[in-house]
Amino acid sequence: TLMGDPFVYTCIKVLSESIASTPLEIYSTDSLTKAKNFNLYRIQKRQANESQTPYEVLQWLLIDYYRYNFCIAACPRDADDKVIGIYPLPANKVSAHRLENGSLFYSYADFLFEESEIIKVVNFFDRGITGSSLSDLQKNMLATSMATESFAGESFSKGTFPAGIAMVEDGTTLEELQELKQRFKEEFGGTSNAGAVLMSSALKDYKPFTISNESAQMLDARKFNRSVIAGLFRVPAHLINDLEKATFSNVEHLDLSFVKHTLRPIAKNFEQRLNLALLTDEESEHYNITFNFDALMRGDFSSRTDALCKRIQSGINTTNEVRALENLPPLQGGDTLRSNAALTPQQ
């Protein structure tokens, strides 16, 4: 399966955890503040449904988003047309059906859902209503990677390469050869028997081979597969434990690039679908659901502090607004906008 490849698994884990851990906020477009009194606020911040947190639901959806190219969740409403919860559904077990009038409905087990009761986010929309999955589009690359990993596992567990040549004494019978072969297999086979010594009266000499996995280019093939798969998911190499070219100076910039060029497009796709599915037409005029990437876009302490000071000095933010970004309590008198004296207009 797709998740059976260690590099694919790692990339999907990095992406799903990164998005799921990013704050998903509901803002009032009227006051530009968090809509804490809106009924969806509790669902998206505390409890998505009776048994799952918002993080768990988002991670489930992100995993399906990459495994099956789309993810799907039910969002039933009460008599007042208010969403009562978000329930993720296994994407590979949901069927879509289009009626003659063009409308869609979805079936899962014995449940039927209208399109208005569903959140569906498609990853790569090239055909149909769910597009093509990664395993369809890149089946040759993924098959090669999984075959390499399978070969590596067999090699290290059983010993794929011949270990050497055993020479026996003259006159050794066929039964003695078979017994010696069996003893070699039992005493040298597998990683737990590495370095074992075999004693036998029938054995005259033994010459080990020096063929290694590096000579067979296995490690190079695995590095190549890791690099290609990381590129497919647009995940920086250092996030999947490839630190060959990582340095203290470039990791921070790679992280920022990861947020801007990988996470932000995914989040935008989810934001638009969540707004469309969870907000009524009337609610959408007053509320907006969006991911807050401010925490992920922060640089090191020195550059972040310098940037925040400039925002206060330029009158962009109040002291308390900046303190809120740093999870600090407000100060008395900190709600006043200030400006640098050099920016004061001439009389």
Side-chain angles (χ1 to χ4, degrees):
T1 61
L2 190 64
M3 295 288 281
D5 186 289
F7 307 132
V8 172
Y9 171 85
T10 304
C11 287
I12 292 179
K13 193 171 190 296
V14 167
L15 290 166
S16 62
E17 290 178 347
S18 298
I19 293 290
S21 61
T22 303
L24 184 60
E25 307 287 0
I26 303 178
Y27 288 98
S28 167
T29 55
D30 300 322
S31 61
L32 300 180
T33 58
K34 294 179 182 179
K36 295 184 178 181
N37 295 324
F38 188 42
N39 70 295
L40 276 176
Y41 193 85
R42 178 190 61 81
I43 294 174
Q44 290 196 185
K45 298 298 289 184
R46 180 174 174 82
Q47 189 172 12
N49 58 55
E50 292 85 349
S51 59
Q52 291 175 301
T53 64
Y55 178 95
E56 292 168 339
V57 168
L58 264 177
Q59 188 177 36
W60 175 322
L61 294 177
L62 262 297
I63 291 173
D64 277 2
Y65 182 76
Y66 281 101
R67 288 180 68 184
Y68 306 113
N69 193 57
F70 77 103
C71 58
I72 194 164
C75 50
R77 297 174 178 270
D78 60 16
D80 296 324
D81 204 25
K82 302 294 184 182
V83 175
I84 60 176
I86 301 174
Y87 301 83
L89 305 174
N92 61 325
K93 296 182 179 179
V94 176
S95 299
H97 311 272
R98 189 177 294 278
L99 302 179
E100 292 182 358
N101 61 7
S103 61
L104 282 172
F105 74 92
Y106 298 85
S107 61
Y108 167 66
D110 296 328
F111 300 95
L112 293 178
F113 303 96
E114 296 181 2
E115 194 169 13
S116 59
E117 301 174 296
I118 285 292
I119 304 169
K120 184 186 70 176
V121 190
V122 179
N123 182 4
F124 190 74
F125 219 148
D126 67 326
R127 61 180 175 82
I129 59 174
T130 58
S132 300
S133 67
L134 183 67
S135 56
D136 292 333
L137 295 171
Q138 299 294 332
K139 58 183 177 182
N140 290 336
M141 177 60 232
L142 295 171
T144 299
S145 180
M146 286 188 279
T148 304
E149 292 306 306
S150 176
F151 179 77
E154 292 293 320
S155 173
F156 286 113
S157 63
K158 297 180 180 178
T160 300
F161 304 113
I165 297 178
M167 289 171 281
V168 298
E169 295 286 354
D170 295 338
T172 303
T173 64
L174 180 60
E175 289 76 11
E176 290 174 326
L177 284 174
Q178 292 295 338
E179 180 184 354
L180 186 61
K181 182 179 179 180
Q182 182 62 29
R183 289 189 59 191
F184 259 101
K185 183 177 180 181
E186 293 174 354
E187 299 187 28
F188 286 124
T191 56
S192 60
N193 292 326
V197 178
L198 176 69
M199 302 298 293
S200 173
S201 59
L203 186 63
K204 180 180 180 181
D205 194 11
Y206 178 74
K207 293 183 178 181
F209 290 153
T210 58
I211 296 177
S212 63
N213 287 328
E214 289 86 349
S215 300
Q217 297 182 340
M218 181 190 297
L219 295 182
D220 287 339
R222 296 183 75 201
K223 287 180 181 179
F224 175 76
N225 292 338
R226 179 175 61 187
S227 177
V228 171
I229 289 175
L232 290 177
F233 287 96
R234 291 193 297 177
V235 173
H238 71 281
L239 292 180
I240 59 172
N241 205 31
D242 180 3
L243 303 178
E244 273 190 69
K245 298 180 181 179
T247 66
F248 286 109
S249 62
N250 70 2
V251 164
E252 182 181 339
H253 295 288
L254 289 172
D255 285 341
L256 295 177
S257 178
F258 175 59
V259 174
K260 290 191 292 184
H261 302 299
T262 301
L263 299 185
R264 192 70 194 105
I266 301 169
K268 192 67 176 179
N269 195 6
F270 272 78
E271 285 172 359
Q272 292 184 347
R273 281 294 174 178
L274 289 171
N275 277 285
L276 189 62
L278 298 179
L279 300 179
T280 64
D281 290 341
E282 182 180 353
E283 290 171 341
S284 65
E285 295 180 2
H286 303 283
Y287 300 100
N288 183 50
I289 302 171
T290 183
F291 284 93
N292 185 352
F293 281 98
D294 287 347
L296 293 181
M297 293 298 291
R298 292 176 179 175
D300 58 76
F301 178 80
S302 177
S303 60
R304 188 172 77 249
T305 302
D306 183 57
L308 293 177
C309 287
K310 289 180 179 178
R311 294 180 72 89
I312 295 175
Q313 294 169 0
S314 301
I316 298 174
N317 291 103
T318 66
T319 301
N320 283 340
E321 287 173 339
V322 168
R323 289 178 63 85
L325 292 175
E326 296 296 302
N327 294 318
L328 295 173
L331 295 176
Q332 185 175 2
D335 294 319
T336 303
L337 283 174
R338 304 178 184 277
S339 62
N340 194 308
L343 301 177
T344 303
Q346 296 182 358
Q347 299 296 327

